[in-house]
């Protein structure tokens, strides 16, 4: 995977605090494009959260960590199973109900709310209460929040998965995204009109050298004999070598040495020496 120098969204939020509305709008639009791309190919991510959203050096968003994703889910197909991060789960997952791509949209609504406010809409110090609030309560919005942004978040955090899906069908036409050129967003040619300070990163010179080495797309390809190991990757550094198999341990013909068996005599002898070492300094 390419090196994304700005790190994950969680660390960026901790460094910058709540995002300005321009940054929230831009990143929300890129997140929407990313999810629509995945869902059009039958992929449900199931773990959308700030930790799994990364930013590159120019401020473009990339969805990462597909360890919990499921594939080939199209149309009205539903699946089941507890998966995700509890504070970013949709109500239907928390209630162990069948679900579809709508769970990603609920998580996206939570992420957008956190970007705009720096707080989770349902968390008040205890996870148990937060999970009940996700299922039963409506989010509380700051008075100063932009009404159009509030409408976007409300639509994504709808408790009904069906209503959530209907809302997303026309989300690109929402007034909140009036300034967004969706073609530029999809092609990553839109320039962010904001500057977010990346989190501090401590790297040694050797680490930076490795990082730069792994991200140079113009390096010589690896040998043909190793190509099959990296089938499907857009880039593989020739410095990555095949890991040699671990040699088998040498089996010796010698019999293992049995541990010394303690007898009554050795026990008495050891006890005498312990007592003698204690009384000897008194002389």
């Amino acid at each position: 995977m390419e090196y994304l120098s700005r790190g994950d969204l969680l660390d960026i939020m901790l460094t910058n605090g709540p995002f300005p509305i321009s940054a929230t709008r831009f990143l929300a639009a890129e997140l929407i494009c990313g999810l629509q791309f995945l869902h059009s190919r039958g992929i449900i991510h199931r773990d959308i959260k700030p930790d799994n959203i990364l930013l590159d050096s120019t401020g473009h968003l990339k969805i990462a960590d597909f360890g919990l994703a499921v594939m080939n889910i199209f149309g009205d197909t539903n699946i089941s199973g507890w998966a995700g991060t509890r504070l970013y789960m949709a109500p239907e997952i928390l209630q162990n109900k069948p679900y579809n791509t709508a769970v990603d949209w609920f998580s996206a609504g939570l992420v957008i709310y956190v970007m705009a406010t720096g707080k989770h809409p349902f968390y008040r110090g205890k996870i148990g209460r937060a999970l009940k609030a996700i299922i039963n309560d409506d989010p509380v919005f700051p008075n100063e929040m932009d009404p159009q942004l509030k409408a976007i978040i409300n639509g994504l955090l709808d408790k009904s998965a069906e209503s959530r899906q209907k809302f997303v069908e026309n989300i690109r036409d929402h007034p909140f995204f009036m300034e967004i050129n969706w073609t530029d967003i999809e092609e990553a040619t839109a320039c962010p009109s904001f500057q977010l300070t990346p989190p501090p990163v401590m790297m040694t010179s050797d680490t930076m050298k490795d990082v730069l080495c792994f991200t140079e797309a113009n390096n010589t390809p690896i040998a043909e004999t190793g190509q099959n190991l990296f089938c499907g990757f857009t880039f593989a550094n020739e410095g990555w070598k095949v890991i040699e198999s671990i040699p088998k341990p040498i089996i010796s013909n010698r019999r293992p040495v049995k541990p010394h068996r303690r007898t009554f005599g050795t026990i008495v002898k050891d006890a005498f020496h312990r007592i003698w070492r204690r009384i000897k300094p008194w002389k």
Side-chain angles (χ1 to χ4, degrees):
M1 185 175 182
E2 64 187 285
Y3 175 52
L4 301 173
S5 61
R6 293 204 176 191
D8 63 64
L9 196 59
L10 178 62
D11 286 339
I12 295 174
M13 287 191 295
L14 292 175
T15 303
N16 294 269
F19 292 170
I21 191 168
S22 59
T24 302
R25 179 183 290 108
F26 181 86
L27 295 176
E30 291 205 330
L31 179 58
I32 288 169
C33 278
L35 289 179
Q36 288 178 337
F37 177 87
L38 294 177
H39 296 167
S40 68
R41 284 154 178 77
I43 301 172
I44 307 178
H45 189 282
R46 299 202 300 179
D47 199 19
I48 295 295
K49 59 181 179 179
D51 317 46
N52 291 339
I53 297 173
L54 309 178
L55 269 70
D56 63 14
S57 59
T58 58
H60 289 290
L61 174 151
K62 293 181 183 291
I63 300 173
D65 194 348
F66 289 81
L68 298 179
V70 289
M71 302 176 65
N72 300 319
I73 309 299
F74 295 97
D76 298 328
T77 304
N78 287 331
I79 59 173
S80 59
W82 181 280
T85 301
R86 288 184 294 172
L87 286 176
Y88 288 89
M89 285 182 178
E92 50 266 38
I93 296 182
L94 294 174
Q95 294 174 299
N96 291 313
K97 295 180 178 180
Y99 56 85
N100 53 27
T101 55
V103 298
D104 284 347
W105 293 116
F106 191 91
S107 301
L110 293 173
V111 171
I112 295 172
Y113 185 102
V114 174
M115 284 195 296
T117 65
K119 299 178 181 179
H120 191 283
F122 301 107
Y123 182 69
R124 297 294 183 271
K126 293 186 178 180
I127 293 182
R129 292 181 180 176
L131 301 184
K132 292 180 180 178
I134 289 175
I135 297 172
N136 301 313
D137 299 344
D138 295 327
V140 178
F141 295 93
N143 294 330
E144 65 276 10
M145 178 175 285
D146 180 86
Q148 301 299 345
L149 174 58
K150 179 180 176 180
I152 286 288
I153 297 174
N154 258 330
L156 295 175
L157 296 185
D158 196 303
K159 306 298 183 186
S160 168
E162 293 78 10
S163 299
R164 217 179 300 145
Q165 290 283 42
K166 290 181 180 178
F167 175 78
V168 172
E169 289 178 0
N170 300 314
I171 195 170
R172 294 192 179 196
D173 299 326
H174 196 277
F176 180 69
F177 295 115
M178 187 179 302
E179 302 175 10
I180 294 295
N181 185 320
W182 292 98
T183 302
D184 292 343
I185 293 291
E186 289 178 341
E187 297 177 355
T189 56
C191 296
S193 60
F194 56 87
Q195 289 293 330
L196 297 175
T197 304
V201 178
M202 300 298 292
M203 303 185 77
T204 63
S205 57
D206 291 338
T207 304
M208 180 59 73
K209 186 186 302 181
D210 291 340
V211 168
L212 294 177
C213 181
F214 291 158
T215 54
E216 290 176 357
N218 295 325
N219 282 0
T220 305
I222 60 176
E224 293 183 2
T225 55
Q227 289 288 347
N228 59 332
L229 296 175
F230 302 100
C231 180
F233 285 81
T234 56
F235 166 70
N237 189 294
E238 63 176 350
W240 298 346
K241 299 179 180 179
V242 178
I243 301 176
E244 297 180 359
S245 59
I246 301 175
K248 296 182 179 180
I250 299 175
I251 301 176
S252 174
N253 293 327
R254 295 176 58 186
R255 293 182 178 180
V257 179
K258 295 183 178 180
H260 179 68
R261 184 177 179 181
R262 300 186 69 190
T263 63
F264 177 77
T266 57
I267 295 174
V268 173
K269 184 178 179 180
D270 292 342
F272 175 79
H273 282 296
R274 286 197 299 269
I275 296 172
W276 175 252
R277 284 195 297 270
R278 291 186 178 183
I279 65 176
K280 187 177 180 180
W282 298 349
K283 294 183 178 181

